[in-house]
Amino acid sequence: MPFPLNEMNDPKNYELSEQLGEGGFGVVHAVRNKTTDEIFAAKISSKYIYLNNHDDSLFLRREIESMHKFNHPAILRFHGFSEKDFSGQNH
């Protein structure tokens, strides 16, 4: 698996809440960490990304690396990525 799942980005540790927005790649929901009660935004892709496909994997890796570089109060900070959805299914 090219993007390791850890406790921080495992969807089972979060409660899905209201939809905050929608775009060409999917929707953004508010989520609450069940342990810490911290609120985050979760971008849920409507496009299936084949992580075994070189082009899809490269695109996703570049997007993640770009998001990690942002450090501005008006931009949400990137915390993690998961191949699982909020029902625990791999996608």
Side-chain angles (χ1 to χ4, degrees):
M1 179 183 342
F3 302 99
L5 185 66
N6 62 42
E7 190 173 312
M8 177 65 187
N9 58 10
D10 189 343
K12 73 178 182 181
N13 296 324
Y14 295 86
E15 180 180 288
L16 191 63
S17 191
E18 74 268 13
Q19 181 175 323
L20 302 174
E22 188 172 355
F25 276 99
V27 296
V28 176
H29 281 268
V31 295
R32 180 186 66 80
N33 182 298
K34 294 175 183 177
T35 304
T36 67
D37 280 335
E38 290 177 282
I39 304 296
F40 296 92
K43 181 179 180 180
I44 303 169
S45 178
S46 59
K47 177 184 184 282
Y48 186 85
I49 298 172
Y50 295 92
L51 294 179
N52 292 329
N53 175 288
H54 176 73
D55 290 338
D56 280 358
S57 182
L58 185 62
F59 169 79
L60 184 59
R61 185 170 297 281
R62 284 181 179 159
E63 183 172 345
I64 289 170
E65 287 171 356
S66 294
M67 289 187 292
H68 268 292
K69 294 177 184 176
F70 291 122
N71 185 14
H72 189 277
I75 299 174
L76 292 175
R77 197 167 41 125
F78 179 77
H79 284 278
F81 166 82
S82 175
E83 294 179 58
K84 294 184 179 197
D85 65 16
F86 285 89
S87 69
Q89 299 296 310
N90 277 346
H91 289 276

